[in-house]
Amino acid sequence: LFSYFVAAKKAGTLDLTGYTDVDFSTEYDSLKFDDWAQFQLQRAGACMAKNPEQDLWPHCGTEGLFGSLYSKQLATFAETFNPDQVYVVSFDSYTKNGPRTLSKLASKLGLEFDSEGMSASTDTAATDDSEEDSSGDQMGEATRKKLNRFFDPYRDELYSMLQMEGGLNYVDITEESQMF
């Protein structure tokens, strides 16, 4: 989520639905991740309270925090397509070594991969492992704990989908045992 925040803020596409505390002409650049994340969590809580029978994604939103509910998005694909046709690629794997990750995906699909023009370190990484952006913004420990609590059931659901026999395919260049 922090990577999304950094990249979307830089591109001017940050999900600010319902966010009224920012004067976009002067304060957008000073918006901090922790404040934005707290608002996203409040927005999710309000939507859950209003519509407890509906999934957060896509009913409450599809961007920002809601766009990170991968298990809900992948469940939709698995309902439409044979789960064996769906491949999940680790964002970290892709940003750390795009050519190697794409080569592994191509191999699984029975395709040849030509990495011409790609470097081992792609330009898609929004942040480094320090989880700090160029302005010095970083994720606070309290925010990390709140987000972990929020995402825990969705993360568990995603891991179950990826581990299930006949389920979705997972493509990563790191050891899968590190993920589960």
Side-chain angles (χ1 to χ4, degrees):
L1 191 61
F2 187 80
S3 295
Y4 161 80
F5 174 82
V6 172
K9 183 178 172 187
K10 182 177 180 180
T13 59
L14 187 62
D15 178 21
L16 295 171
T17 304
Y19 205 106
T20 58
D21 295 341
V22 174
D23 175 357
F24 294 105
S25 63
T26 59
E27 297 178 34
Y28 180 81
D29 290 338
S30 64
L31 181 62
K32 297 294 183 191
F33 176 78
D34 285 353
D35 296 331
W36 176 82
Q38 183 61 42
F39 178 77
Q40 292 281 303
L41 289 167
Q42 290 170 354
R43 189 172 145 211
C47 188
M48 285 191 293
K50 184 178 177 183
N51 304 301
E53 302 301 316
Q54 292 184 323
D55 286 331
L56 284 175
W57 184 93
H59 303 290
C60 298
T62 58
E63 302 294 325
L65 178 87
F66 306 104
S68 298
L69 301 177
Y70 305 122
S71 62
K72 298 301 177 191
Q73 297 171 47
L74 291 169
T76 302
F77 282 106
E79 290 171 6
T80 306
F81 301 99
N82 180 332
D84 196 42
Q85 294 177 296
V86 179
Y87 285 79
V88 178
V89 176
S90 161
F91 177 77
D92 287 337
S93 177
Y94 178 73
T95 58
K96 289 181 181 170
N97 194 328
R100 187 168 162 212
T101 302
L102 294 176
S103 178
K104 186 173 181 179
L105 175 61
S107 176
K108 287 183 176 273
L109 294 171
L111 302 170
E112 290 184 33
F113 173 69
D114 180 4
S115 64
E116 185 177 331
M118 290 188 79
S119 64
S121 177
T122 62
D123 293 332
T124 58
T127 63
D128 61 20
D129 290 336
S130 69
E131 298 216 7
E132 184 174 315
D133 76 0
S134 60
S135 72
D137 192 11
Q138 57 188 337
M139 185 186 315
E141 191 57 34
T143 300
R144 182 182 308 281
K145 287 178 181 179
K146 288 177 186 177
L147 288 171
N148 277 332
R149 276 194 304 275
F150 172 80
F151 281 118
D152 276 346
Y154 300 103
R155 189 179 305 115
D156 291 346
E157 187 177 41
L158 175 61
Y159 290 164
S160 293
M161 293 170 75
L162 296 175
Q163 291 177 331
M164 186 174 55
E165 184 68 32
L168 305 174
N169 298 286
Y170 182 67
V171 178
D172 195 356
I173 59 170
T174 60
E175 292 295 322
E176 288 185 10
S177 62
Q178 292 174 341
M179 295 294 295
F180 306 110

